[in-house]
C-alpha cells in the first residue's frame, strides 16, 4: 500500500511542478487561467476532466487524500514492533518530495506526517528495548494505539466522520425541502383541478323538470277564427 501511495505522490508532484512552470507562477499564484474557488469532491468523481487536471485546488485535494491514506495505513502499522524499520524508506521518499513540493498546504501536511512518524519510531524503539521478552509472532499489532502517529490517525478519522455526517445531514435537509416543496406544488395543483371541475359541473348542471301539478310558464296561443264571406 505504501509503495503505491508514494508512487501516486511522485506523479502528483510532477504534475503540479509542470503546471506551475507552464503558468510561470509561484506557490499561491493562479497563473494565466482562472482557477475554481472550490476543490473537486474526490469521493464522487470517476475521472478528472481537462480543466480539473489543470486546477491547483484539485491537485492539492488529491495530495491531501494521499496524505490521509498514508496516515491511515502507517498509523495502524505504528502498533507493530517492526514499524521503525518499515517507516525508513517511506520517510526517505517523503523528505525528498517535501523539498521540491510547490504547494504550501501539501508541504505542511507532509512535514507534519514526517514529524509524527519520526516521533513514533523513536517511541517504539524505546518500548522494544524495555520488553522483557520477544513479542509473539502471532500478534502483529503488539503495542496499544497511543503513539503520535496512531493518535494523529484517530483524530483524522474522527474529523473525517464528522465531515461526512455534516455533508449527509445537509444533503438530507436539501432533499426534505425539495420533497416538501414538490408536495406543496402538487397539493396546489390538485386543489386547482378540483376547483375547476366544480365550476364546470355547476355550469353544465341540468335544470330539474317541473313537478306534476305545477304549471310551466304561460305560452301565447293563437285561436283560429272562422270568417264568413256573406253569401250564407
Amino acid at each position: 500500500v505504501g509503495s503505491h501511495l508514494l508512487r501516486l505522490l511522485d506523479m502528483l508532484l510532477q504534475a503540479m511542478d509542470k503546471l506551475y512552470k507552464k503558468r510561470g507562477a509561484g506557490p499561491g499564484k493562479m497563473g494565466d487561467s482562472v482557477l475554481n474557488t472550490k476543490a473537486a469532491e474526490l469521493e464522487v468523481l470517476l475521472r478528472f476532466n481537462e480543466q480539473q487536471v489543470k486546477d491547483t485546488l484539485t491537485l492539492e485535494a488529491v495530495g491531501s487524500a494521499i496524505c490521509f491514506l498514508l496516515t491511515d495505513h502507517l498509523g495502524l502499522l505504528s502498533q507493530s514492533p517492526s514499524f521503525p524499520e518499515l517507516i525508513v524508506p517511506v520517510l526517505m521518499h517523503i523528505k525528498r518530495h517535501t523539498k521540491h513540493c510547490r504547494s504550501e498546504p501539501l508541504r505542511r501536511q507532509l512535514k507534519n506526517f514526517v514529524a509524527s512518524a519520526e516521533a513514533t519510531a523513536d517511541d517504539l524503539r524505546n518500548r522494544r528495548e524495555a520488553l522483557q521478552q520477544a513479542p509473539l509472532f502471532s500478534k502483529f499489532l503488539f503495542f496499544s494505539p497511543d503513539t503520535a502517529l496512531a493518535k494523529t490517525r484517530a483524530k483524522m478519522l474522527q474529523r473525517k466522520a464528522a465531515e461526512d455526517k455534516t455533508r449527509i445531514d445537509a444533503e438530507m435537509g436539501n432533499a426534505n425541502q425539495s420533497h416538501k416543496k414538490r408536495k406543496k406544488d402538487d397539493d396546489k395543483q390538485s386543489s386547482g383541478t378540483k376547483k375547476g371541475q366544480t365550476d364546470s359541473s355547476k355550469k353544465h348542471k341540468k335544470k330539474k323538470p317541473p313537478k306534476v301539478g305545477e304549471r310551466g310558464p304561460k305560452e301565447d296561443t293563437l285561436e283560429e277564427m272562422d270568417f264568413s264571406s256573406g253569401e250564407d
Side-chain angles (χ1 to χ4, degrees), residues 155-222:
K155 292 179 181 178
M156 182 187 65
L157 293 177
Q158 186 177 4
R159 183 171 60 251
K160 178 67 174 176
E163 292 175 356
D164 291 343
K165 185 177 183 302
T166 302
R167 187 181 296 110
I168 292 172
D169 292 341
E171 292 293 336
M172 293 296 293
N174 294 334
N176 291 334
Q177 289 180 359
S178 300
H179 178 70
K180 290 180 180 179
K181 184 179 179 180
R182 185 164 55 250
K183 185 178 180 181
K184 185 178 180 180
D185 294 340
D186 293 341
D187 294 342
K188 187 182 296 185
Q189 184 177 1
S190 61
S191 61
T193 304
K194 290 181 180 179
K195 184 178 180 181
Q197 291 177 354
T198 304
D199 296 340
S200 177
S201 62
K202 288 182 178 180
K203 290 181 180 180
H204 295 85
K205 188 176 181 181
K206 294 182 179 181
K207 189 176 181 181
K208 294 182 179 180
K211 295 182 180 180
V212 178
E214 292 184 356
R215 297 183 61 182
K218 294 183 179 180
E219 297 180 357
D220 295 333
T221 57
L222 295 176

Side-chain angles (χ1 to χ4, degrees), residues 19 33 46 55 63 94 114 137-138 151 157 182 189 221:
L19 180 63
S33 62
L46 297 178
D55 188 1
I94 291 181
V114 169
F137 292 100
S138 60
K151 291 179 180 179
L157 293 177
R182 185 164 55 250
Q189 184 177 1
T221 57

